[in-house]
Amino acid sequence: MQDRFVNSLNQLPKALAEQLVPLLNDEFAGHLDAQQLCELAKASGLGDDELLLALLPIAAALANPPISEFYVGAIAKGKSGDIYMGANIELPGEALCHSVHAEQSAISHAWLSGESQVVDIIVNESPCGHCRQFMNELVAGQEIRIHLPKQPTAPLSHYLPYAFGPKDLNVTTPLLSKQQVNLALESSDPMVIEALDHASLSYAPYSKSHCAVVLETADGATFCGRYAENAAFNPSMMPMQMALSTLLRHNRSFSEIKRALLLESADGKISLVGASMDALHAVAPVELEHIVVSPEPN
C-alpha cells in the first residue's frame, strides 16, 4: 500500500478500510471501477452515496497544497459508474492562478480516462465559484449532483443559478462531448505523437488554441494534460496543470520530470507557452519544448 494513504485509512470505517487496502497498491492513481465500488459497498454495508462520501479522505490524500496546507479531495462519478479521484495542487512560489482545484483534478481525470459525462461530484468542501463555473461547462452540467458531508445532495443548478455557460457563447458541444480536431505533423517521436493525439482531443471552442502537454520522467513514463477552456475564461484548465495533476495522482514527484513538451495548434488566438513555462519552472528545472502544428484542411 502507498504510504500517502496510511493516515486517510484511519478516518474510514474499519470494514471499508480493510477492503480498500489491497486496492491501494503501487498502481493506484485514484480510479475505482463500478465493480470495485459494488464490492466495497457490500463489504462495508454502506449505501452508494455513503460510500462515496466515506472515500473522500483517500481523494484528499492526493493533494499537494504547500501554500495553503488545506487538503481538498474530490470524486467525479462518470456515467459508466466508475469514479475518478482528484485533489488540489499548488505550485510553490508561483502565482495562485496556477493552482489546480480538486474538482478540476477529478473531472480532468475522468475526461482523460474517456468518460463522456460526469453525473456526480463528491467533495469534502463546498465548491468555490471557480469550480461551479468549471462544472457548468460539462455535458449536462446543471444536472450534476453535488454531494457534500452533512449537506443534502443538490444539483449544480442549486449552487449556480442563472448560470452563464457555453450556450451563451453559441457553443453547443460542451466539455466531455465527443469531438476532435485534425492536426497534421509527421514525427517518429512517441512523445510528440502522444501530445498530438491529446491536442486533437482538447477543448478550445473560444480561442481555437487546441493544445496538450506531455511530461516524461527518467524511467520513460509519460503524463499528459489537455487544454480545457471555459465560457468564463478564467476557470479554464491549462494543459500543464492537468499534466502535473496526472503525474502527482500516479504518486510521482515533480523532481522526476526530465522532459516536457507543449504542442499547440497554429491557428489559435492565444498561446499557452508562457503560462506553461511559468508552471513548469516552478516545479522542475526542465526546458519546455514547444511545437506548433497546422490543422489539416477539411
Side-chain angles (χ1 to χ4, degrees), residues 5 9-10 14 26 41 70 87 158 177 180 186 261 281 285 287:
F5 298 120
L9 281 175
N10 294 330
K14 184 177 179 180
D26 290 344
F70 188 69
H158 169 78
S177 299
Q180 186 169 356
E186 292 291 332
L261 170 69
H281 292 162
E287 291 305 312

Side-chain angles (χ1 to χ4, degrees), residues 203-278:
Y203 177 77
Y206 310 111
S207 72
K208 309 302 180 186
S209 299
H210 295 278
C211 57
V213 163
V214 179
L215 304 174
E216 185 178 45
T217 51
D219 61 357
T222 55
F223 305 92
C224 305
R226 306 170 189 154
Y227 188 29
E229 285 190 333
N230 189 274
F233 286 19
N234 284 13
S236 300
M237 189 173 185
M238 304 298 170
M240 179 61 74
Q241 276 78 347
M242 193 178 296
L244 293 173
S245 176
T246 303
L247 181 140
L248 289 178
R249 277 195 298 98
H250 283 83
N251 203 25
R252 307 300 292 266
S253 67
F254 294 144
S255 63
E256 296 181 74
I257 300 171
K258 300 303 179 185
R259 187 182 176 196
L261 170 69
L262 167 68
L263 186 145
E264 294 186 300
S265 172
D267 65 346
K269 298 178 181 179
I270 62 171
S271 172
L272 299 185
V273 64
S276 298
M277 289 175 62
D278 288 345

Side-chain angles (χ1 to χ4, degrees), residues 35-98:
Q35 181 60 39
Q36 289 171 321
L37 287 175
C38 184
E39 293 169 358
L40 288 174
K42 183 177 179 180
S44 65
L46 297 173
D48 292 346
D49 291 352
E50 291 177 304
L51 174 62
L52 295 175
L53 288 166
L55 288 171
L56 282 173
I58 302 299
L62 304 174
N64 184 23
I67 300 170
S68 69
E69 299 182 3
F70 188 69
Y71 288 71
V72 183
I75 297 171
K77 185 176 182 180
K79 192 175 182 180
S80 68
D82 289 11
I83 65 167
Y84 306 87
M85 298 180 183
N88 59 319
I89 298 171
E90 299 158 2
L91 304 186
E94 194 49 73
L96 298 181
C97 63
H98 288 287

Side-chain angles (χ1 to χ4, degrees), residues 122-202:
I122 305 90
V123 61
N124 61 354
E125 298 290 340
S126 184
C128 68
H130 180 104
C131 291
R132 298 178 194 196
Q133 186 66 48
F134 187 81
M135 289 187 278
N136 192 56
E137 194 77 20
L138 305 181
V139 170
Q142 286 278 291
E143 300 171 14
I144 295 172
R145 296 183 294 269
I146 310 298
H147 305 255
L148 293 166
K150 300 179 181 179
Q151 295 290 335
T153 299
L156 180 62
S157 58
H158 169 78
Y159 290 93
L160 191 67
Y162 312 110
F164 176 85
K167 291 182 180 179
D168 294 291
L169 295 179
N170 300 315
V171 171
T172 57
T173 52
L175 181 58
L176 268 65
S177 299
K178 296 296 183 182
Q179 50 191 302
Q180 186 169 356
V181 296
N182 294 318
L183 300 174
L185 179 67
E186 292 291 332
S187 177
S188 59
D189 185 335
M191 195 163 159
V192 173
I193 295 170
E194 189 171 7
L196 189 69
D197 289 342
H198 279 277
S200 70
L201 296 171
S202 63

